[in-house]
Amino acid sequence: MAWTKYQLFLAGLMLITGSINTLSAKWADNFVAEGCGRSKAHSFQHPFLQAVGMFLGEFSCLAAFYLLRCRAARHPDTSMDLQQPFNPLLFLPPALCDMTGTSIMYVALNMTSASSFQMLRGAVIIFTGLFSVAFLGRRLVLSQWLGILTTIAGLVVVGLADLLSKHDDQHKLSEVITGDLLIIMAQVIVAIQMVLEEKFVYKHNVHPLRAVGTEGLFGFVILSLLLVPMYYIPAGSFSGNPRGTLEDALDAFCQVGRQPLIALALLGNISSIAFFNFAGISVTKELSATTRMVLDSLRTVVIWALSLALGWEAFHLLQILGFVILLVGTALYNGLHRPLLSRLSRGQPAAGEGERERLLDASRTPINDAS
């Protein structure tokens, strides 16, 4: 069945805002500006402040939820279930995981390329599969184990491409390796977040936009408060500010004042988070979870192509191979081969209606799959 204009709009919105999300964060990282007290010009390396911005974007999804709620109040025949009592504190543990994982990934993005950042996030499949077996009592089928093994092979190839690529003063080899390892480590935390959401949150059938906004509220408030002690905690070589602390929000604001384009990059990151979450949830509902996964894979291609076009990174053939292997691993894990085999063997339509209302049965995406 052909897509409607609205479905095409949602797919395009998800692809564009998802790409802007990573590219705007990297664009901000690439700026060099003076800090407070006329300090020497230095790179804009403020990952924790950027993470606060991301949670602000997620928090704004609550506004979208209440707009839908008002619309539903005027149209009682709507399918949106508004009376879903739940304890908001259920979202605190997943929000803490999201806060930690996102902060680590923003630190890593300062050290490696945008395309590698996006590709290596595919490691979440490995840890989600293992944790779902250990903590949710789920049994993985053969294709899912093959998907995990294929994903590991893809990560090795992408990592090898980073090792063999030319490195400039901004991304030294040691930093690239550290950044890649941090991204993979962050996926362990993201996988824990997904297990917590499935075990304690999904059973309450909370509207996804409300769930995203609630986690965003927790993350925004907690991480904003943590910026105060971070201002005094020494971070050594991991620090990107002149004071050598874990985070210097004042230095970030001074840099924004001296280079207004940084504010534009941050605003693009914050707004793209909100629209990406809304579009992703809507794509799953209007089309299918498989379509959402395919669009997310296309997002990696867009980010890689634009990074090359902008001169942010050098082309390496191994990255293509690594991306293809990761794509195959993701497809195997999520069962995309089954409808294809079914169509080839029986000549029947590939997708079923049961796929529409779920977020990947075998591997749920995190509620706020934003960064």
Side-chain angles (χ1 to χ4, degrees), residues 12-24:
L13 183 66
M14 179 182 170
L15 181 61
I16 293 170
T17 55
S19 302
I20 291 174
N21 175 228
T22 300
L23 290 170
S24 59

Side-chain angles (χ1 to χ4, degrees), residues 145-155 324-326 328-330 332:
W145 287 114
L146 288 175
I148 289 175
L149 292 175
T150 305
T151 300
I152 293 173
L155 294 174
V324 171
I325 295 174
L326 286 172
V328 171
T330 303
L332 284 171

